[in-house]
Amino acid sequence: MFTAPALPAPNALADPGFLASAAGESWIEALAENFPHTCYWRDRSDCWSLKSLNALAARIIDARYDGNAIEDAMEAEFPPSEPYQTWYHEVAPQMRSFLREADLDEDSEAINAIRYAWEDRAAERDDSSVTDLFASYDHCELLFRFSAERWLDDALVFSHRPWPQASELAVTANLQFALNNLGYTIGEFRKACGNRHPADRALSRHARRRRAPIISHEQLAEIIDNACSTSFLFCLYAIVPIPDLIALDLSRPVTFEKCWVATMDPINGTFFDVPTNEPVTVKPEDGRFLSGGHLRWSPENICGLHTPYYHASVRNG
């Protein structure tokens, strides 16, 4: 058990000016050293749920896009421990004899003066961070949706039929944008699946494939035909370590070392995926990141996924 440092003189606490003196400051410094307070300390038995880590990931992503401090956003989800708990359970019991000797054991003003001085010194000595709570085995669901639209419901692709089918998809700017990011043009898509629907409006004539195909024509048809919804969006999906997400700069290219391409209906809660054939690098202009915490139902919540299968790493570059 920690012990309180000896006072420089008997009944020193009875002197109203003691805490402001050099001797008093030295004693408070020793008290803070003997009884440190750590705002963020993780016990080895701590285990965060995927839902709570998804909520944290959503705050991190929003902070990145809004230009806010990541630590502030994380602390809103995981507040720091209060110093009062350390004071009440560890420091105060050790102070009783000193306060009794100075006849201050019933003097709340004097007790609070010691407490506040200790809190200030303990806070100065505490170098813990909210990021200390998370290790490489703490994962969240990370998605990258291929859409230039700000809002999810504006990013959807639609089917002309009451069921999803590649040959029946409406040919829209959203579809063109998503296909270009998957490595295909509208013309290649039409040829592969037999889609003959006219575009709902004039499409960009300058749109080009943004990369080599990351899934095959057969896989593309598979995720469309199994979308289980007549409206959905295309996205990349992986379950990544929280420290990886914290380290990302979303204004730079981001590489998924391994990921899955999925169709997802964020409104009605459907999800179907296939693996990509190689690492995928996305740029800010390719779309927008989101986590399971942004969604009413995350992919894991929708499908009951075996999460270790989807574990992957992400990095800038």
Side-chain angles (χ1 to χ4, degrees):
M1 177 182 290
F2 296 116
T3 58
L7 289 167
N11 296 328
L13 292 178
D15 178 3
F18 170 67
L19 294 180
S21 68
E25 290 181 357
S26 178
W27 182 75
I28 288 293
E29 182 68 32
L31 185 65
E33 181 178 1
N34 288 5
F35 294 94
H37 172 72
T38 303
C39 287
Y40 289 101
W41 182 80
R42 176 168 182 165
D43 190 280
R44 290 186 178 183
S45 64
D46 286 343
C47 181
W48 315 121
S49 69
L50 182 61
K51 183 176 181 179
S52 65
L53 293 175
N54 278 343
L56 175 68
R59 288 187 181 271
I60 292 171
I61 291 169
D62 289 345
R64 285 293 190 203
Y65 280 129
D66 295 338
N68 297 327
I70 294 296
E71 290 76 12
D72 291 345
M74 295 177 69
E75 287 181 7
E77 193 68 29
F78 287 84
S81 64
E82 294 295 333
Y84 178 74
Q85 297 297 322
T86 303
W87 169 265
Y88 182 81
H89 292 290
E90 299 180 26
V91 188
Q94 295 290 317
M95 291 290 98
R96 288 178 186 142
S97 61
F98 291 151
L99 294 168
R100 193 178 303 112
E101 290 172 3
D103 198 25
L104 295 173
D105 50 327
E106 300 297 330
D107 189 334
S108 60
E109 186 173 333
I111 294 171
N112 284 337
I114 299 171
R115 173 190 162 192
Y116 297 148
W118 167 81
E119 285 185 358
D120 288 344
R121 291 295 185 275
E124 291 173 1
R125 297 174 62 88
D126 179 20
D127 61 356
S128 67
S129 166
V130 63
T131 59
D132 297 338
L133 293 179
F134 309 103
S136 59
Y137 48 81
D138 295 308
H139 291 79
C140 65
E141 294 178 274
L142 182 65
L143 303 94
F144 184 85
R145 59 180 175 90
F146 292 122
S147 171
E149 300 295 338
R150 167 76 176 183
W151 307 111
L152 288 174
D153 52 356
D154 293 329
L156 300 176
V157 170
F158 298 89
S159 173
H160 283 288
R161 299 291 185 180
W163 60 84
Q165 186 174 327
S167 62
E168 298 296 340
L169 288 190
V171 179
T172 63
N174 282 348
L175 178 63
Q176 182 185 45
F177 189 91
L179 288 175
N180 290 166
N181 275 286
L182 295 175
Y184 296 103
T185 64
I186 286 290
E188 291 169 332
F189 175 72
R190 287 186 184 279
K191 182 177 180 180
C193 69
N195 189 307
R196 297 293 179 263
H197 290 287
D200 68 336
R201 65 186 65 180
L203 300 179
S204 171
R205 294 183 300 166
H206 305 292
R208 298 290 186 273
R209 295 191 305 173
R210 293 175 180 260
R211 56 182 55 83
I214 57 177
I215 55 175
S216 67
H217 282 295
E218 292 75 18
Q219 287 177 306
L220 179 57
E222 181 183 358
I223 61 174
I224 293 172
D225 294 350
N226 289 279
C228 297
S229 177
T230 57
S231 60
F232 51 86
L233 52 79
F234 293 91
C235 62
L236 299 180
Y237 177 78
I239 298 180
V240 306
I242 285 289
D244 281 14
L245 179 60
I246 293 171
L248 287 183
D249 179 352
L250 302 188
S251 66
R252 297 171 51 208
V254 173
T255 297
F256 288 80
E257 297 295 347
K258 182 173 64 171
C259 63
W260 289 256
V261 176
T263 47
M264 179 181 68
D265 179 351
I267 298 173
N268 298 301
T270 68
F271 182 84
F272 188 85
D273 66 89
V274 295
T276 60
N277 51 27
E278 60 185 14
V280 178
T281 299
V282 294
K283 299 178 180 179
E285 59 268 27
D286 294 340
R288 192 173 180 89
F289 283 96
L290 65 155
S291 87
H294 286 106
L295 303 168
R296 185 175 182 182
W297 299 285
S298 77
E300 188 280 331
N301 189 229
I302 294 168
C303 301
L305 302 176
H306 178 58
T307 55
Y309 173 73
Y310 294 92
H311 284 183
S313 61
V314 288
R315 58 175 174 80
N316 280 118

